[in-house]
Amino acid sequence: MSQASSANAARRRWRESDSPVLRSFARSRTVQGAVLVLALLVLAALLAPWLARQNPFDPAALDLLDAFTRPGQAGSSGVVYPLGSDDQGRDVFSAILYGLRMSLLAGVSAVALSLAIGVPLGLVAGYAGGWFDTLVMRIADIQLTFPVLLVALPVFGIARGLLPDGYRDDMALFLIVLAIGLSDWVQYARTVRGAVLVEKHKDYVLAAQVIGRSRAGILVRQSCPTCWRRCW
């Protein structure tokens, strides 16, 4: 009974929280279901070496005699393939699990790069204003006129062309992360800039200015934590 009361109290705190993420999670069954699905996908990716029957990237683990096995049937080797096999005898279920690991790695890395670019630019542009704010926002406006994919493809192509032939395949994942990160930083920069514009005229920021805090100190110690709570 006490555990149920604690859970209800936690949900009430989340519903009344200043964080839009916690409020959405507490009030929306759709968001809770999405988080559950995401958690299952991450868990499946982490446990892929133990859940998968074979390593699809290891040619020695493949059996050509099992090629084109139908889902749920056993191949020539007697192994049952839940989702079938492809033309090289690769287990489709194993390929999905290992592919999921690559997809999550690329997605998380690209978002981290976008945050690393967009958040500092948004903080400095919102607080400093002036020509720097105008420059960053005009670049953001121009980039927003193009779809993300249309920006990512030229970045990927140019970066791939600058690499020697022997390194292009090995660096493909890093180039994809770079292309997506450079094409998707705008939304984070604009969101953080808007939050900084709201916060920089509040009393606690003015008080920090009065006591002689530097701009960098105000951004790092006052504005950044407050904007983080407002956005997340």
Side-chain angles (χ1 to χ4, degrees):
M1 191 66 179
S2 60
Q3 294 180 353
S5 301
S6 300
N8 291 331
R11 282 195 292 268
R12 284 195 298 271
R13 286 196 300 269
W14 289 348
R15 291 191 183 99
E16 298 171 357
S17 172
D18 293 333
S19 170
V21 175
L22 290 179
R23 289 200 305 269
S24 297
F25 180 78
R27 297 174 181 176
S28 174
R29 295 292 183 183
T30 303
V31 174
Q32 295 171 12
V35 171
L36 177 61
V37 171
L38 178 61
L40 291 176
L41 291 176
V42 172
L43 185 63
L46 293 176
L47 298 179
W50 294 274
L51 296 177
R53 193 191 66 81
Q54 61 181 209
N55 184 352
F57 299 112
D58 183 10
L62 308 182
D63 192 343
L64 291 177
L65 297 178
D66 289 348
F68 298 112
T69 301
R70 294 183 177 180
Q73 294 186 356
S76 301
S77 61
V79 176
V80 177
Y81 293 87
L83 299 180
S85 63
D86 61 8
D87 57 344
Q88 298 182 13
R90 184 185 292 109
D91 181 24
V92 174
F93 179 69
S94 301
I96 290 174
L97 289 177
Y98 275 85
L100 179 62
R101 303 180 82 187
M102 300 297 291
S103 298
L104 288 176
L105 176 61
V108 171
S109 301
V111 171
L113 179 59
S114 298
L115 285 170
I117 297 172
V119 170
L121 286 177
L123 281 172
V124 177
Y127 188 79
W131 67 268
F132 185 78
D133 181 30
T134 302
L135 177 63
V136 172
M137 288 301 102
R138 295 299 76 78
I139 294 174
D141 291 340
I142 293 172
Q143 188 164 330
L144 283 174
T145 60
F146 300 95
V148 173
L149 186 61
L150 194 60
V151 177
L153 286 177
V155 173
F156 178 79
I158 293 171
R160 187 177 175 86
L162 294 176
L163 290 175
D165 293 340
Y167 294 93
R168 290 178 180 175
D169 292 337
D170 296 335
M171 297 293 292
L173 178 62
F174 299 99
L175 295 180
I176 291 173
V177 171
L178 177 65
I180 298 175
L182 291 178
S183 60
D184 210 28
W185 63 271
V186 175
Q187 57 179 331
Y188 303 107
R190 292 176 67 89
T191 301
V192 172
R193 174 183 175 270
V196 171
L197 290 176
V198 173
E199 295 296 323
K200 75 174 185 178
H201 297 296
K202 290 190 175 180
D203 292 340
Y204 73 93
V205 175
L206 298 177
Q209 294 174 349
V210 169
I211 64 176
R213 283 277 177 87
S214 63
R215 288 190 171 187
I218 294 173
L219 278 176
V220 173
R221 297 184 180 181
Q222 274 82 30
S223 298
C224 187
T226 304
C227 292
W228 176 267
R229 289 192 294 269
R230 285 177 59 89
C231 296
W232 303 99

